[in-house]
Every structure is written in structure tokens, then in C-alpha cells.
Amino acid sequence: MSYKILFMGTPEFSVPILKKLHFEHKIIGVITQPPKKKSRGQKLLKSPVHLEAEKLKIPVRYPDNLKSNTELDYIKNAEIDFVVVVAYGQIIPDSFLNIKNLIFLNIHASLLPRWRGAAPIQRSIMEMDTETGISIMKIIPKLDAGPFMLQEKISINEGDNFSLLSKKLSEIGANLIVEALSLFKKNEVNFINQDEKNVTYAKKINKREAKINWNKPAKKIIAEINGLNPFPGAWFEHEGNRIKIIEAEKSEHSGGEGEVLTDDLIIGCKEKSIKIKFIQKEGKKILQTNNFLTGYKIKKGEILS
């Protein structure tokens, strides 16, 4: 038996889950964030979920918000068994959650109760966690605080950045939600309350925090570079230019904090140093460091800010 599902999601992370559910069940509709203006207000860009839903010929709704009765009435009148939410981008109002005989399931990219909130994947990398995972949970009015029914762990590897880890977790989430729905069919669902003593919050990434603070150990700076890749990108300022570090590795060189120690961009940190492997001047292409330095000079001995 397949279930009738309303899917709510927005970014690329949600797409493999939408595709998997479409194959296994019946998606009666998709709600996603409205198209955004590109660059200086010209072309409107639809969300990745919006584009995929159109490919799959699933009806799409993209309200500015969920505060009006329009979407509430739509869900109340829809013949659905579940609402599956995956990084939708807005808080689901209590009035939605109180619809009788309708369960809202969330696919959250962390091992709850660790990293409730908007940026669990980025924070897990930036804080140098050794593992993370997916939680299938029931949505309640308090942010990411509902009981979970399934979790699956995954190791965070040294080279994982946000983009790579996101893809891994998305695939796990796609399989895990199918497993979760099968438990409903078998009447074998067991929700487990989160331990409030172990709660941590993954606040939304602030662009200002993406500026590199060289007064940190090299391993911490690398974790932040990886966690912020590809967006917003960890950066430093040089002669009025904002320059992103896309990829770096730890180096055994030592020197002053922010000091350029070699001609191939090894930079001193509080402990050890980092060797920049890929770099990008704002508005330009990503380049390997040696190619970047042929057209942009950062001299040995300079102090980066």
C-alpha cells in the first residue's frame, strides 16, 4: 500500500528524498519557497525542489508564508496521509500541526537532540564532530524538539565539506523515510522523546562569522572552511579584496597568526598553519593556488586580515 503524501522542501538536499518518495508513494503536491530574484533583481530562480517537482509533474505551491488560511485550508481539504518536511525553510504553524489525524514528519540532518535548528550539517563540521546522521521525527510546535522514530549515523571524514556531507545525508534520509513509512504500515512505530539535557542548537550561518580568524588552531580553521563550503565560504581580506578559501590542509609550518609563510600560500595560525589548495577571488572562478598566484600576488611575509 502506498501513502498519499504532501511534500514540503526547498534546497538541493531535499531533491533525492522527493524523488525516492515519488517512486515509492503518491506525492499529491509540493510546497516550496517562492522563486528568488537572481543578482540585481532580474531573472526569478525557482528552488531545486520546485524544478524537480515540475519534472515529475507534481503540482507545486510556493506561498510567501504560511500565515494565511489559504495553505491551511488546502492541507485540511487534501486527501493525504502524511506531510513530509525536508528543509522547507519556514516554521510550520501550530494550526497546521493541529489538523486532526495528520502526522507531520521531518527529516532532520543531525542526531537529535544535537544540532536542532537551521544549519545542522554546517555546524557538525565546523565543531569537528566525528559523526552525524539523519533523524526522522514528528514535528511539534517547539523547534526540532519532537520525538524521533528512526536515526541513522554516519562518520564525518576529514575531507568532508558541507556539499559532500549534505549529499551523503540526503541519500540516507531518502531511504530512512521510506523505512519509516513502512513501519506505519506494519503498525510498528515507536517514537522516542529527545533528551533535553543534551540539546545543542545549530543557528543559521551568519555571513560575518565566515571571515577567518587566524587566532585559532589550524584544524579548527580547516573545519570552518569545510563547513562553510560552498556557501557562504570562509574568507579573508587582502588589499580591499574578499578572497575565499575553498579547500585547505594542515601544514607543520609555524609562524605568526595570519602570516604568509611561503610563496605558495601557507598561512600561520594559532597552532600550526594551513596550506591553501583552492582559492577564489570574489566574483571570479575557483582556482588551484598555483594558478591563482600567477595573476594575483600575495607575498611571503604579509599579514592577512
Side-chain angles (χ1 to χ4, degrees):
M1 180 187 79
S2 64
Y3 286 120
K4 294 179 180 178
I5 296 168
L6 174 67
F7 187 90
M8 301 179 72
T10 299
E12 189 64 40
F13 175 82
S14 311
V15 170
I17 299 166
L18 172 61
K19 291 166 70 175
K20 182 77 172 181
L21 284 172
H22 176 71
F23 180 76
E24 299 282 347
H25 294 276
K26 173 67 174 177
I27 308 294
I28 63 97
V30 162
I31 297 179
T32 189
Q33 292 294 298
K36 292 184 177 180
K37 292 181 180 179
K38 181 181 179 182
S39 301
R40 296 176 183 174
Q42 302 300 316
K43 186 177 179 181
L44 286 174
L45 295 180
K46 296 176 180 177
S47 75
V49 162
H50 192 151
L51 294 172
E52 187 62 34
E54 289 182 337
K55 288 180 186 177
L56 299 173
K57 302 189 184 311
I58 301 171
V60 182
R61 302 172 70 89
Y62 44 94
D64 289 330
N65 58 66
L66 301 176
K67 295 177 182 179
S68 72
N69 288 329
T70 304
E71 301 309 313
L72 177 61
D73 291 340
Y74 165 71
I75 295 176
K76 280 182 177 180
N77 295 325
E79 295 181 0
I80 53 177
D81 301 300
F82 295 94
V83 179
V84 174
V85 182
V86 192
Y88 170 57
Q90 290 187 37
I91 300 295
I92 309 298
D94 293 2
S95 57
F96 286 54
L97 302 178
N98 291 332
I99 297 173
K100 190 175 181 180
N101 298 324
L102 184 60
I103 295 176
F104 284 72
L105 292 175
N106 184 36
I107 302 173
H108 187 76
S110 80
L111 298 173
L112 293 168
R114 185 160 179 79
W115 299 132
R116 293 178 182 175
I121 302 175
Q122 293 97 323
R123 297 295 176 190
S124 65
I125 298 171
M126 293 168 71
E127 294 302 318
M128 298 183 290
D129 290 356
T130 58
E131 65 180 15
T132 185
I134 289 288
S135 300
I136 308 293
M137 55 165 286
K138 183 189 293 184
I139 301 179
I140 65 172
K142 186 177 178 181
L143 178 65
D144 295 334
F148 62 87
M149 59 179 291
L150 287 176
Q151 288 188 326
E152 185 170 332
K153 295 180 181 180
I154 184 175
S155 296
I156 300 177
N157 300 323
E158 187 175 339
D160 280 338
N161 59 29
F162 168 67
S163 182
L164 290 172
L165 189 57
S166 181
K167 289 177 182 177
K168 295 178 187 178
L169 289 170
S170 182
E171 293 297 333
I172 291 172
N175 292 324
L176 208 60
I177 187 61
V178 170
E179 182 181 343
L181 292 171
S182 72
L183 293 177
F184 278 96
K185 290 181 187 178
K186 300 172 186 176
N187 199 26
E188 295 178 358
V189 176
N190 179 33
F191 281 104
I192 301 168
N193 290 325
Q194 296 183 39
D195 185 350
E196 293 293 324
K197 293 182 294 185
N198 293 322
V199 170
T200 60
Y201 286 96
K203 66 179 181 178
K204 187 177 180 180
I205 300 297
N206 185 317
K207 288 185 179 181
R208 291 189 298 273
E209 70 180 299
K211 184 175 182 180
I212 295 172
N213 178 2
W214 300 105
N215 187 26
K216 293 180 180 179
K219 62 181 181 180
K220 175 65 172 173
I221 291 176
I222 290 172
E224 292 178 353
I225 290 169
N226 289 340
L228 296 169
N229 181 8
F231 182 83
W235 59 276
F236 63 89
E237 192 170 347
H238 180 261
E239 295 183 354
N241 297 304
R242 182 175 293 194
I243 299 176
K244 291 184 181 181
I245 300 178
I246 305 302
E247 184 179 338
E249 62 185 10
K250 193 167 77 169
S251 166
E252 294 301 313
H253 285 71
S254 59
E257 295 161 6
E259 181 183 357
V260 181
L261 302 177
T262 65
D263 291 326
D264 58 349
L265 279 192
I266 293 178
I267 314 299
C269 308
K270 183 178 181 180
E271 294 176 11
K272 306 295 184 181
S273 56
I274 67 167
K275 178 178 174 58
I276 300 174
K277 298 174 69 177
F278 288 89
I279 193 167
Q280 180 185 28
K281 185 179 177 182
E282 189 170 34
K284 303 296 182 180
K285 294 181 179 179
I286 295 172
L287 297 171
Q288 288 186 323
T289 299
N290 60 333
N291 292 330
F292 176 83
L293 292 173
T294 61
Y296 189 97
K297 299 303 179 186
I298 301 178
K299 299 177 182 178
K300 180 180 176 180
E302 289 189 60
I303 306 297
L304 303 179
S305 61

